[in-house]
Amino acid sequence: MDKIVTNPGSAMRPALSPDGRTLVYAARWNGETGLRVRDLVSGSDRLLVYPVQHDVQEGMSTRDTMPGYAFTPDGNALIAAYAGKIHRIELADGKATVIPFLAHVDLDIGPSLRRSFKDGTGPVRARLIQTPVQSPDGKRVAFSALGRVYAMELAPGARPKVLSPAGMSAFEPSWSPDGKSIVYVSWTAKDAGLIWLARMDGRAPRALTRPAAYYTNPVFTPDGKSIIAERSSNYERMHTYMEYGPLREADLITFPLSGGPTRVLASGSMGGVPHFIGDTTTVEMDFDNGLNAVRMDGTGRHLLVSVTGPGFYFQEGRVQVDDLRISPDGKWLLAQNAEQLFLLHMPAQPGQTLDIEGPPVAHRKLTSVGADFFGWADGGKTITWAVGSTFYKQPLANVATDPA
């Protein structure tokens, strides 16, 4: 078999003239498809007609990449269909003439499948709540839904109270230690975002950060005097080829509520929610190698634990789970993988790697339907998670773990 055409715009649907001296083929150029003529004796190659029917190289070419065309018996012209008509194309000069035809069609038409649907009006029911977090006193939950931040009493018949102003896309609320305030982020593709403080007494929210950036997961420090969050370039986010998984290149930052400079505690591939255990000289954060303790003075970080599990179909071997959260007393670990939630006892030695399918510690798979978001509450005595618009609570004491 000999290779005849090596055209960078591809070569497809070849047709040979009756005398075997001329080859017509389709090729892509400047985003459109044309027909070219190759003289198989001299090797000369020229454009015959352009553009014609667009080829389907990007699709499933089960019926070839182009509609069929053929030479006339004398080899002087090509018959091809494009632009909704049948054309005779002279090989000598590429002049195309429409070939008229008349077809009598008798086709039964079935019943119309068109249906009319009335647009809904009135209140919209949220089918998904995002990043729900229980208040320190256990009586309320804050969450975002449909681009607004809400707080709601954890009581039958309670109604959510909106905390963010209309017109602002707001997400990821987090409570102050005294339960009197909430921080959250705003974000739009055009203007990036800020971190905001909203007080539960109804006062208007105020921005805590300048300039705008891509901020996520703001939380209070345990003393309530500072904020910790992740910060990235909004330009880089908008020009990222693909967002996959919870990790991204970011700075872990902190700044005082009373005003003052922003400090960078750590940089790298990170994600999830910053959180604290008993030792408040560090903040715990998920990095690409696992859960790390980051020193609050910005002098470094060290690995606490790494948890692996099965990845998606394009990931080979065991991979880091999607998110990790250590309990406030440092004894237990929540791991989220493939939207399922797992409980594991923290290993005695830091820096170990556990696998959720056979960990050498006490463990338990907590969910079967899934867990969109999760966290600790009541000082680590309660595990919370959400699926759709439902918020679940499970006392840690009621979880029967499987042995190592």
Side-chain angles (χ1 to χ4, degrees):
M1 181 180 293
D2 296 327
K3 185 182 292 185
I4 298 175
V5 180
T6 57
N7 186 59
S10 70
M12 65 199 107
R13 204 57 160 92
L16 192 63
S17 64
D19 61 8
R21 297 170 60 91
T22 304
L23 180 75
V24 171
Y25 65 95
R28 181 85 65 86
W29 181 76
N30 200 27
E32 296 190 271
T33 307
L35 299 180
R36 300 190 65 86
V37 180
R38 168 69 63 93
D39 188 319
L40 299 178
V41 177
S42 67
S44 64
D45 194 299
R46 60 184 172 84
L47 187 65
L48 178 64
V49 59
Y50 174 89
V52 294
Q53 175 72 36
H54 193 73
D55 64 77
V56 292
Q57 292 183 80
E58 292 87 358
M60 295 290 290
S61 54
T62 55
R63 293 177 177 85
D64 215 324
T65 53
M66 286 285 294
Y69 40 82
F71 281 89
T72 55
D74 60 10
N76 293 328
L78 190 76
I79 307 300
Y82 60 91
K85 298 181 182 299
I86 300 174
H87 298 79
R88 175 188 170 97
I89 307 165
E90 302 298 330
L91 242 63
D93 57 8
K95 181 181 179 181
T97 305
V98 174
I99 300 175
F101 72 96
L102 182 65
H104 296 280
V105 178
D106 185 5
L107 182 66
D108 291 333
I109 299 177
S112 173
L113 299 179
R114 183 181 295 274
R115 294 290 183 270
S116 297
F117 295 92
K118 186 178 180 180
D119 290 337
T121 58
V124 176
R125 180 181 177 185
R127 304 290 180 175
L128 174 70
I129 59 173
Q130 295 177 292
T131 61
V133 57
Q134 182 179 294
S135 62
D137 62 7
K139 297 180 179 180
R140 293 165 293 175
V141 61
F143 59 92
S144 68
L146 304 174
R148 302 287 295 275
V149 169
Y150 298 86
M152 188 176 74
E153 297 290 331
L154 287 172
R159 305 285 293 180
K161 173 186 176 183
V162 65
L163 300 178
S164 60
M168 174 192 291
S169 298
F171 313 92
E172 299 179 344
S174 181
W175 293 93
S176 61
D178 61 9
K180 296 181 179 180
S181 303
I182 280 178
V183 287
Y184 61 87
V185 299
S186 64
W187 184 83
T188 64
K190 178 182 177 182
D191 300 321
L194 301 171
I195 297 176
W196 297 80
L197 176 72
R199 299 194 183 278
M200 300 305 293
D201 59 10
R203 280 183 280 177
R206 65 181 178 94
L208 299 178
T209 51
R210 293 281 186 226
Y214 176 38
Y215 296 99
T216 55
N217 299 309
V219 298
F220 286 86
T221 52
D223 60 10
K225 295 181 179 180
S226 298
I227 301 296
I228 295 178
E230 296 146 72
R231 181 187 65 188
S232 298
S233 162
N234 194 62
Y235 175 84
E236 289 185 6
R237 192 208 181 192
M238 295 306 300
H239 291 81
T240 298
Y241 166 68
M242 179 179 68
E243 284 188 326
Y244 171 72
L247 302 182
R248 74 176 196 274
E249 292 297 321
D251 294 327
L252 186 64
I253 62 168
T254 184
F255 57 88
L257 274 175
S258 59
T262 296
R263 294 187 297 114
V264 176
L265 302 180
S267 299
S269 181
M270 66 182 74
V273 179
H275 53 288
F276 292 86
I277 54 177
D279 181 10
T280 56
T281 63
T282 64
V283 56
E284 280 54 58
M285 190 71 197
D286 199 22
F287 285 79
D288 52 5
N289 66 335
L291 188 66
N292 281 239
V294 181
R295 293 193 62 83
M296 287 294 294
D297 60 9
T299 57
R301 60 184 172 97
H302 64 272
L303 180 66
L304 294 177
V305 66
S306 177
V307 180
T308 59
F312 288 94
Y313 65 93
F314 53 84
Q315 295 174 302
E316 296 182 1
R318 314 302 284 179
V319 299
Q320 293 289 329
V321 297
D322 298 327
D323 200 0
L324 291 170
R325 208 81 54 85
I326 195 170
S327 60
D329 62 7
K331 295 180 180 180
W332 293 94
L333 189 67
L334 288 174
Q336 184 191 42
N337 193 65
E339 302 304 316
Q340 299 293 343
L341 189 60
F342 300 81
L343 175 69
L344 304 98
H345 198 281
M346 275 291 290
Q349 297 298 321
Q352 293 188 44
T353 298
L354 311 177
D355 193 275
I356 56 174
E357 291 192 353
V361 294
H363 60 280
R364 184 75 176 184
K365 183 181 178 184
L366 298 174
T367 58
S368 56
V369 174
D372 298 325
F373 306 96
F374 69 98
W376 293 99
D378 303 322
K381 296 179 181 179
T382 304
I383 301 166
T384 67
W385 69 90
V387 178
S389 60
T390 304
F391 183 64
Y392 294 91
K393 299 174 61 175
Q394 173 72 49
L396 177 62
N398 292 352
V399 178
T401 58
D402 299 321

